[in-house]
Amino acid sequence: MHTSVAGLGWGDEGKGKIVDLLCPDFDLVIRYNGGANAGHTVCVADEKFAVHLVPSGVLHPGIVGVIGPGVVVDPLELLGEIDGLAARGVEVADNLKISDRAHVVMPYHKIEDALSEQAASSRERIGTTARGIGPCYADKMRRGGAVRMIDLLKPARLRPRLEANVRFKRAMLKALYGSDGGLEFEAISTDISVAARRLAPYIIDTTSFLAERISAGARLLFEGANGTLLDVDHGTYPYVTSSSTSPAGIAAGAGVPPHLVKRFIGVTKAYATRVGAGPFPTELTDATGERIRVAGHEYGTTTGRPRRCGWFDALAARYSVALSGTTEIALMHLDTLSGFDEVGICTAYRYRGERLETLLADAEALAEVQPVLEMRPGWMGNLREARRFGDLPDAARAYIARIEELLRVRVSIVSVGPDRRQTLVRGESNPEN
């Protein structure tokens, strides 16, 4: 059954581990949104791999990773990632396909991203990763001057377009920010030309490729980047990314029929985290939040920034479940909460004296809400030794049951550590497995 793995929060939920876990049952893993701002961490045979653009599936022999047309590709970052994997014995060759329709993140996009964030007031900063994602998507929508992967295969056409783009960006950046960030056309052209030659073998019409593979009976796994609450249309705007992060983005971002996927796995931590600016109703800015951060090693895969931590937000998660059509949940980092006397679940918000059970569209209003917390008994012990659901402490199982009740979706996977083996898959016939 074609399957989607998507985050239910603000990213960093642990999607890479779930994709890695499921890979043996699939033939292709497809990225359909975002770019190098994503960071998926996978532990294989006691080795840790962090991938940003390359689909997690390439870590498995025989699986093809596909970068769809909805992804924005930084060719220099991608080559660095390919080379880094090769140095560790992971070959990236025929097992990677890049859509010729995907747009290209250029050095001027990253400079624009960084200068824009620096110029914004502290109140207006979004907390971007400065990977050029937003400016690239903006150029895509403006259409004029945008560069796609197919353009890398046509150097005679690409060079004058790049020259015009650099000239325009330098003038624009100087006018807006007083600096062009040191943009040099020849340096950019040389780097892109080298990247184009090396990436040329991977660039194909992935839309037709996927259609052929689907007809041949191949099994597809769609790997979402970021998280549903960062969706440009449905997230906590403007503190969001620039793509459709929920499974709703699969059809357009991968180039497949909307009815294709039937299984939707929503990934969430047993608590909540967020990187960068934006409202975070359950955030803990005290010693408890710091304790969760340290226990969960909560630092960004892409940026290394410390993540903001808080109690599980059932209201926000339920919103994401409904939006994404989640059919089952993978609950991550349950082990991180071991040792707490109490653990909290947010079941509603209070806003200016009113009880709310829906996620507000207004980010400023959402920043004012107070969480209605349900404190539940904690549990002790090292959960990383658990190999069956029945091995978990009673309080941990009761915590999971309460999350299921609030989200109205079954928790089918529970992660109790970073290793593949530290994952509990609950069988339909015997949920204690």
Side-chain angles (χ1 to χ4, degrees), residues 25-41:
D25 295 328
F26 293 88
D27 303 298
L28 300 99
V29 176
I30 302 100
R31 272 280 307 274
Y32 60 88
N33 77 290
N37 58 336
H40 292 179
T41 302

Side-chain angles (χ1 to χ4, degrees), residues 117-126 239 277:
E117 189 77 350
Q118 291 168 17
S121 68
S122 58
R123 182 182 177 85
E124 296 173 328
R125 286 177 185 161
I126 294 172
Y239 303 99

